[in-house]
Amino acid sequence: TVAEPDVYRSEGLAGTMGIMAREDPNLGWKTLYAGFPSLLTRQVIFGSVKFLAFERACEAIFSYWPELRAATYTSLAVSLVAGGFSGCLSSVVSQPADSVLTYVAQQTGGGGKGSLGVIEGCKIMIEREGPGSLYRGLGSRCLWAGSIIAGQFLLYDVFRTMFGVNRDDLSQVFEVIISNQDSIIS
């Protein structure tokens, strides 16, 4: 369920957190972080696929049409297309996790109450509604994520171009960070 903001407004941040912690005496403060591990897992999957797919899509487009690198506007168009693709692919990969988490939250009343775990929820969901239920809402999510991610990568390349940073510069920074970490560990 969604909290009513008027209930908490007069309490301030500390008061609101105290009220939320007392809502379920068995969990206390753990209520605030009940879904954190599963949220972190799905975000790592989504983010990893997003960046990997973007880089591979750019490489594929530029290898097929190398002349698109010549002008800034065509290079930015490639970023837009590759970003849209990466957003859609990230959605396809992470949608089952989102569907299961939503299902578990609906079955347990949200906020980590109840005993239905993610794996158990996934099994029940597939048994009751079939494997297709894992991808319910995928079309609208692909449209949303594809648009947002395309915009993110377009802005990333606009600013990178504006500041004169190229891919080799970013690789060199990464190599410096890695070599510094290696020397610290040694």
Side-chain angles (χ1 to χ4, degrees):
T1 60
V2 177
E4 293 293 327
D6 294 333
V7 173
Y8 303 104
R9 187 168 286 134
S10 64
E11 300 296 324
L13 179 61
T16 299
M17 292 181 78
I19 290 170
M20 290 167 58
R22 290 188 302 271
E23 285 179 354
D24 186 348
N26 295 327
L27 290 176
W29 286 99
K30 292 179 185 177
T31 303
L32 296 174
Y33 301 100
F36 185 71
S38 53
L39 175 68
L40 183 64
T41 301
R42 86 172 182 223
Q43 286 304 106
V44 167
I45 292 169
F46 186 89
S48 299
V49 171
K50 175 176 80 170
F51 285 104
L52 181 65
F54 174 75
E55 290 298 326
R56 296 299 175 251
C58 284
E59 288 172 9
I61 293 169
F62 285 132
S63 70
Y64 196 72
W65 292 292
E67 65 275 6
L68 293 177
R69 287 188 191 270
T72 301
Y73 72 93
T74 57
S75 183
L76 292 176
V78 168
S79 292
L80 194 63
V81 170
F85 170 76
S86 71
C88 289
L89 186 61
S90 298
S91 294
V92 169
V93 171
S94 65
Q95 182 65 25
D98 282 340
S99 294
V100 171
L101 291 173
T102 301
Y103 181 80
V104 168
Q106 289 172 345
Q107 299 305 310
T108 60
K113 299 173 186 167
S115 62
L116 185 61
V118 174
I119 302 296
E120 183 183 2
C122 181
K123 288 178 184 176
I124 293 170
M125 187 176 171
I126 292 172
E127 286 172 4
R128 290 184 183 169
E129 302 174 32
S133 64
L134 296 174
Y135 292 94
R136 187 177 300 127
L138 180 62
S140 59
R141 185 162 185 233
C142 281
L143 182 64
W144 175 83
S147 301
I148 296 294
I149 306 292
Q152 287 175 349
F153 280 117
L154 175 69
L155 288 174
Y156 166 73
D157 278 347
V158 163
F159 286 110
R160 197 181 68 178
T161 302
M162 188 169 54
F163 292 119
V165 177
N166 63 36
R167 292 184 192 278
D168 293 334
D169 294 334
L170 295 174
S171 296
Q172 290 171 2
V173 168
F174 183 68
E175 289 171 8
V176 167
I177 292 170
I178 295 298
S179 65
N180 283 340
Q181 286 180 346
D182 289 343
S183 65
I184 292 171
I185 294 172
S186 303

